Amino acid sequence: MKITIIGTGYVGLVTGACFSEVGHNVICVDCDAQKIELLQGGGIPIYEPGLEELVARNVASGRLSFTASTAEGVEKSDVIFIAVPTPPLDDGAVDLSFIEFVAREIAACMTSYKVIVDKSTVPVKTGEKVEETIKRYCKADCEFDVVSNPEFLREGFAVDDLMNPDRVVIGSTSDRANEAMQKIYQPFNAPIVFTDINSAELIKHAANSFLAMKISYINAVAAICEASGANVEEVANGIGMDDRIGRRFLNASLGFGGSCFPKDLSAFIRISDDLGYDFGLLKEVQKINASQMDRFVKKITDTLWVLKGKTIGVLGLAFKQNTDDVRMSPAIDLCNRLIKEGAFLRVYDPKAMDKAKMVLPDGDVLFVDDMNEVSIGCDALVVATEWPEFKQLDLVKSKEVMTVPIIFDGRNLLDPALVEKLGFTYISIGR
Ligand code: NAD
């Protein structure tokens, strides 16, 4: 199939690379000319395990190319995917201006039948608006179909998720479009859910909100564990062995973040409000998530008393392991709160240092190149992202170089018995 993807970010680039890997011819378009130049020159703008090799291989085979011209992408392909941002507005609603703009751009240069597929996460009924917009702005009198194909990849595991999806959701009532979509996804051997556009759009918001709810649920249970002396990990294991519940997404932590969960949760609450339903359950999920970070910061201030003039080491800046993405990262939020209290930070992340440098204030933070050097002169060390390599931290050396041996583990990554045996004061979540 000849496929164009408009928006070459975390979703667009990985999708393009995976589609070309299974034999399709893919053009990735982006309005960021610098990004396109970097990709054309063999560079990669994001970190995602396995992506660099995948892109290089498919560029070399001639199946994957990059352009800043939407017109070129629309002209050369039969199926056009939209993977542009849908950021939150201040009131929790979704900013759909990127989608609307791209719909007009596609319409302006369409001269033959196209399948236009929305991969961005959008509120239910957006497909109808995209269809209206394309009809209104299409100069040539050509046929087209709009399809909703929400994406469920996890950053940090995006290549694997796209190559081996649990399911593919295709929202469309057109046989012609469904046939094209089936051809695109057939090589992936995944179950396909064919449904209508509105249901497909809703599936994405309902899925992400459910996962966020699971995280907030275990975080609330962690608070009860702390108050009662129970251990949240034992409880999560016991709950998770029930097939109806499952163990995944039951890890207590300082809360969820990233560019999707907080935004999609607010959006779903707002969408429900607009449709006349007060989704109080999801409002509580948001509230628990916010209070989880407050509770964690309180543990730090309760222990260290005054943060002004103290040095705190922070391990992890990305919003989760295996990514360089710091958008809405709880680790960054935590850093800003500690800085606001007057602390000086020594920070390290295996992949997200460059992106974190752009968002953390100059002067209050020292970026350290080696995780084992972070603790030098620190009054406390905080684990803020669950990078597996932090388990290999040289704790004996860390204890020697710290001013005071205290660890706050916001991801329950370290083994409490081991850390305490080495003489640290160790404070984690719900255990
Ligand atoms: P991103 O910011 O990484 O990438 C978006 C890209 O679109 C950017 O490179 C930007 O320059 C480009 N762009 C913006 N306007 C454009 C235009 N008019 N023409 C061409 N390019 C344009 O965003 P992302 O994380 O890839 O997310 C894209 C969508 O996918 C969002 O709706 C998001 O909610 C959804 N989504 C994201 C993830 C994730 O884990 N990141 C997972 C599933 C779904």
Side-chain angles (χ1 to χ4, degrees):
M1 297 289 287
K2 288 183 185 155
I3 300 169
T4 285
I5 301 182
I6 302 180
T8 308
Y10 283 90
V11 169
L13 180 58
V14 186
T15 306
C18 291
F19 282 171
S20 57
E21 177 73 2
V22 297
H24 301 307
N25 289 304
V26 182
I27 303 174
C28 284
V29 179
D30 206 284
C31 59
D32 180 341
Q34 263 182 336
K35 191 181 264 191
I36 292 299
E37 240 171 69
L38 176 75
L39 285 159
Q40 285 170 337
I44 293 279
I46 53 169
Y47 171 73
E48 197 53 61
L51 182 63
E52 199 166 352
E53 303 84 311
L54 197 66
V55 170
R57 186 162 62 241
N58 286 287
V59 167
S61 75
R63 285 196 301 270
L64 179 62
S65 62
F66 304 97
T67 177
S69 162
T70 302
E72 183 191 335
V74 173
E75 190 205 328
K76 291 187 175 164
S77 294
D78 313 311
V79 183
I80 320 291
F81 281 77
I82 304 176
V84 295
T86 47
L89 293 167
D90 288 343
D91 60 359
V94 181
D95 178 357
L96 291 169
S97 60
F98 295 85
I99 299 275
E100 195 265 355
F101 181 78
V102 171
R104 278 190 282 130
E105 274 197 316
I106 296 171
C109 44
M110 251 168 49
T111 53
S112 58
Y113 173 75
K114 305 284 174 194
V115 180
I116 295 142
V117 187
D118 175 38
K119 207 168 227 329
S120 295
T121 303
V122 294
V124 59
K125 289 167 163 299
T126 300
E128 291 171 7
K129 288 284 179 201
V130 168
E131 194 171 332
E132 266 171 43
T133 305
I134 293 175
K135 259 189 206 142
R136 194 171 302 137
Y137 286 89
C138 186
K139 286 183 195 148
D141 184 21
C142 46
E143 290 181 25
F144 69 93
D145 282 306
V146 172
V147 174
S148 165
N149 172 219
E151 182 49 57
F152 300 97
L153 66 80
R154 297 162 299 162
E155 282 180 28
F157 304 90
V159 171
D160 197 39
D161 284 349
L162 264 156
M163 294 305 290
N164 306 290
D166 288 343
R167 79 308 203 184
V168 172
V169 173
I170 295 173
S172 159
T173 41
S174 151
D175 291 343
R176 198 173 174 188
N178 279 340
E179 208 177 294
M181 294 301 288
Q182 187 149 27
K183 266 194 201 156
I184 291 175
Y185 280 106
Q186 194 248 333
F188 294 93
N189 283 325
I192 300 184
V193 179
F194 286 103
T195 182
D196 60 281
I197 298 192
N198 287 344
S199 303
E201 290 168 338
L202 207 63
I203 285 170
K204 175 65 190 177
H205 274 125
N208 269 7
S209 298
F210 187 88
L211 293 171
M213 181 179 75
K214 233 180 143 181
I215 298 172
S216 277
Y217 183 80
I218 201 65
N219 281 336
V221 172
I224 304 300
C225 288
E226 283 168 19
S228 62
N231 181 331
V232 73
E233 263 166 31
E234 303 290 326
V235 176
N237 288 341
I239 301 172
M241 283 171 79
D242 185 329
D243 267 357
R244 294 169 301 175
I245 297 173
R247 179 64 177 81
R248 291 169 78 191
F249 279 78
L250 287 181
N251 294 319
S253 69
L254 40 68
F256 58 78
S259 70
C260 289
F261 281 2
K263 145 177 110 67
D264 293 349
L265 188 61
S266 314
F268 200 27
I269 291 170
R270 177 61 197 257
I271 291 162
S272 311
D273 269 344
D274 289 348
L275 292 168
Y277 181 76
D278 177 11
F279 216 143
L281 174 67
L282 296 186
K283 290 179 185 165
E284 200 56 37
V285 170
Q286 271 183 328
K287 220 167 98 188
I288 293 168
N289 199 50
S291 73
Q292 195 65 4
M293 178 61 84
D294 293 343
R295 291 192 327 108
F296 190 67
V297 172
K298 188 167 181 304
K299 285 178 189 177
I300 299 176
T301 50
D302 280 353
T303 310
L304 296 183
W305 189 18
V306 172
L307 296 194
K308 195 165 187 270
K310 301 251 163 77
T311 300
I312 300 179
V314 179
L315 290 171
L317 300 165
F319 84 95
K320 62 174 190 171
Q321 61 169 312
N322 281 343
T323 182
D324 62 346
D325 197 349
V326 297
R327 292 178 290 180
M328 301 283 285
S329 168
I332 299 288
D333 181 17
L334 177 68
C335 287
N336 283 324
R337 287 176 188 233
L338 299 177
I339 291 166
K340 206 168 155 213
E341 292 283 331
F344 177 77
L345 306 183
R346 295 172 62 84
V347 303
Y348 170 80
D349 188 284
K351 295 288 175 197
M353 301 273 262
D354 288 344
K355 290 196 170 146
K357 279 178 192 164
M358 294 193 269
V359 296
L360 284 174
D362 277 345
D364 301 307
V365 183
L366 183 73
F367 288 83
V368 181
D369 288 333
D370 179 341
M371 70 171 175
N372 284 310
E373 312 262 295
V374 171
S375 39
I376 297 174
C378 284
D379 298 280
L381 195 58
V382 178
V383 179
T385 308
E386 71 279 26
W387 282 98
E389 56 230 78
F390 294 158
K391 286 186 189 163
Q392 312 309 323
L393 186 71
D394 186 339
L395 288 166
V396 174
K397 185 180 161 213
S398 293
K399 183 165 177 259
E400 274 169 22
V401 296
M402 287 180 79
T403 307
V404 193
I406 306 176
I407 295 179
F408 296 95
D409 188 347
R411 299 289 181 171
N412 286 358
L413 197 76
L414 304 178
D415 174 358
L418 174 76
V419 181
E420 278 164 9
K421 195 169 147 208
L422 290 172
F424 285 90
T425 301
Y426 178 73
I427 296 163
S428 56
I429 315 268
R431 55 179 199 170

